[in-house]
Amino acid sequence: MVAAATVPLIKPRLGILAGRGRFPVLVSSSARDMGHNPYIVAIEGEADQDWSGFDHCVLGIGDVAGLSALIRREKIGTLMLAGGIDRRPRFRDIRPTWSSLAAAPSLLRTLLSGGDDQILRAAIGLLEKQGVQVVGAQTVAPGLLSQIGPLGKLGPRPSDQADIAAAEQAALVLGQLDVGQGAVSVGGRVIALEGLEGTDLMLERVAGLRAAGRLPRGRGGVLVKMCKPDQDERADLPSIGPDTVTNAHAACLSGIAVEAGRTLVLERELVVTLANRLGVFVTGLGPDDERGKR
């Protein structure tokens, strides 16, 4: 088990900035189960779920003024970010408050040249200037975090350890560049790095390499996902879900290894069912895993 982190106090009312995918729904439902009445701020052009069962509104990705007014009206004291964002906000999308105008030049530089983690830190800073506390989604959905060891019936074989070690180191170096969080190794050699396209499209590239004969079909390989070094864990934790398992299998990989306690496993039961059926291992890596020291 991973040691539990200190859970920040959630001040009423909880607001959830929702991007694309099922993750915001899982977090919102978990928050409701904990007794919260979350207010969902669906990001225009990104959120793709039905929010009719929750108090909600739709706001543009850069509408700081609209969000500030909403925070006051709904008495929101805590905000969390959940879900994917496909596009960066353009500067013309930004509707600032008077208090946030001073940060505009710095924000513009970040939008033009910053990595994803830099942009998220800037976004969190803007949110905190509205007088709210920003917390990670794992605060209300700790059950989504991966644990050490296999999730399903299968675990990595001794022959997989070289792939795990190589892909882990590559993912950490990639994270230092603020580019991505995942890497694939086959036969102890890193053959794919996650870029802006995301994990699923990276795995499609690996499947294409297999189909073209660039990779031997008889050798599996491993996908590893890690937090970026010094990542702000309040947003954009690495995540896997059913599609990750399906795409890893399509790429003829042996398995998936993720950083335990710092990676989200979405729709865990379906992930385990698929992994068992397709013969793909899914495992959480601890700091003292047998692959050796980092």
Side-chain angles (χ1 to χ4, degrees), residues 141-200:
L144 294 180
L145 289 173
S146 60
Q147 297 179 343
I148 295 173
L151 268 67
K153 296 178 181 178
L154 300 175
R157 300 163 299 179
S159 58
D160 296 315
Q161 297 302 328
D163 282 327
I164 291 174
E168 179 193 11
Q169 291 302 316
L172 289 172
V173 171
L174 189 67
Q176 288 176 341
L177 300 174
D178 197 7
V179 176
Q181 300 169 317
V184 175
S185 174
V186 176
R189 179 169 66 100
V190 175
I191 56 93
L193 300 172
E194 180 187 26
L196 295 178
E197 81 276 26
T199 304
D200 290 336

Side-chain angles (χ1 to χ4, degrees), residues 16-42:
I16 298 176
L17 290 173
R20 59 177 165 76
R22 288 278 300 164
F23 180 40
V25 176
L26 298 174
V27 171
S28 302
S29 298
S30 180
R32 181 174 278 175
D33 291 342
M34 292 178 68
H36 296 285
N37 179 25
Y39 191 98
I40 312 303
V41 182

Side-chain angles (χ1 to χ4, degrees), residues 9 18 25 31 53 60-61 65 72 79 89 101 110 127 139 173 225 230-232 258-259 268:
L9 175 66
V25 176
I61 192 169
R72 293 193 301 271
L79 273 174
L101 279 175
T110 302
L127 294 173
T139 303
V173 171
K225 297 201 70 172
D230 302 321
Q231 178 169 335
D232 191 322
V258 299
E259 186 175 3
R268 183 184 299 255

